[in-house]
């Protein structure tokens, strides 16, 4: 969460809040994707960490980012950059 918030210059409250602005939703979805990929946590735990979201929301976000990554080089690069930040810590 901290890697995504610093990468996109958001606060944790932005990321875990209810905002539906594109500038917040895409980083939130990317955070879901990375948490699913890098951590072996249940979907419900990831949802709880991201503002008490439902596990189906986490699944949707993960799948959405998979699709975006395939067609949008910018998203794929952002994900790689954030992953590198996380893995270097």
């Amino acid at each position: 969460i901290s890697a995504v918030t610093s990468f996109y210059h958001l606060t944790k409250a932005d990321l875990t809040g209810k905002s539906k602005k594109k500038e917040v939703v895409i980083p939130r979805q990317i955070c879901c994707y990375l948490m699913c990929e890098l951590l072996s946590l249940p979907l419900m735990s990831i949802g709880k960490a991201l503002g008490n979201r439902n596990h189906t929301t986490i699944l949707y976000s993960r799948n959405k980012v998979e699709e975006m990554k395939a067609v949008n080089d910018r998203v794929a690069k952002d994900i790689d950059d954030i992953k590198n930040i996380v893995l270097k810590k």
Side-chain angles (χ1 to χ4, degrees), residues 9-78:
H9 309 291
L10 298 169
T11 65
K12 185 176 180 192
D14 290 335
L15 204 68
T16 60
K18 300 288 182 201
S19 176
K20 292 191 185 332
K21 291 182 184 172
K22 188 177 182 181
E23 309 80 55
V24 177
V25 171
I26 292 175
R28 185 184 299 137
Q29 290 176 333
I30 289 173
C31 190
C32 289
Y33 172 81
L34 288 169
M35 288 176 81
C36 288
E37 190 172 284
L38 299 175
L39 307 172
S40 55
L41 290 173
L43 296 174
M44 290 181 73
S45 298
I46 294 171
K48 190 168 291 228
L50 290 171
N52 289 323
R53 287 181 162 68
N54 193 303
H55 73 281
T56 56
T57 304
I58 304 304
L59 269 175
Y60 172 82
S61 295
R62 187 187 68 194
N63 295 339
K64 181 82 172 158
V65 171
E66 283 280 346
E67 293 169 14
M68 285 193 304
K69 205 170 101 165
V71 296
N72 187 333
D73 291 338
R74 180 79 194 141
V75 171
K77 184 184 180 322
D78 286 357

